[in-house]
Amino acid sequence: MTPDTSPLSTMQRSLRQCLSNMAALLYHHGHVLESVTVPHRGLDRGAMRELNAASSDWTACQRVLERSEAASYNEQDRFVLTALGRELLFDMFGEGAADCA
């Protein structure tokens, strides 16, 4: 059996890796998943700088998430996951991982 190396498969693996890294970084720095899964919340620029300073992985993952349209900035200029990003995150960790109710 050969591994799936299609561009879509590679992008999904990269997105999933970034979402996993993002979740761990958020928790290690006192944030919760709801910080990025609730569209009207999000991470402000200060929190983004903090995460970037704490981990060299943050900037790379942020770029992957933005380029793949799994994350963007909301009307308050805060970093949040899009519907695509939330769908992948919930697929990976379960709907209860971040309660959006």
Side-chain angles (χ1 to χ4, degrees), residues 7-54:
L8 180 59
S9 175
T10 301
M11 182 185 78
Q12 277 205 346
R13 270 194 305 278
S14 182
L15 276 172
R16 288 175 187 275
Q17 183 64 44
C18 285
L19 287 167
S20 179
N21 288 347
M22 178 195 70
L25 284 167
L26 288 173
Y27 284 127
H28 289 199
H29 294 281
H31 299 282
V32 294
L33 285 177
E34 288 88 347
S35 299
V36 293
T37 59
V38 178
H40 65 274
R41 289 193 60 189
L43 298 171
D44 64 23
R45 298 287 179 169
M48 297 288 285
R49 281 191 298 276
E50 222 174 81
L51 289 164
N52 185 41

Side-chain angles (χ1 to χ4, degrees), residues 11 15 63-71 82 84:
M11 182 185 78
L15 276 172
R63 283 188 197 127
V64 168
L65 292 168
E66 288 178 16
R67 288 180 185 153
S68 65
E69 298 181 359
T82 63
L84 169 66

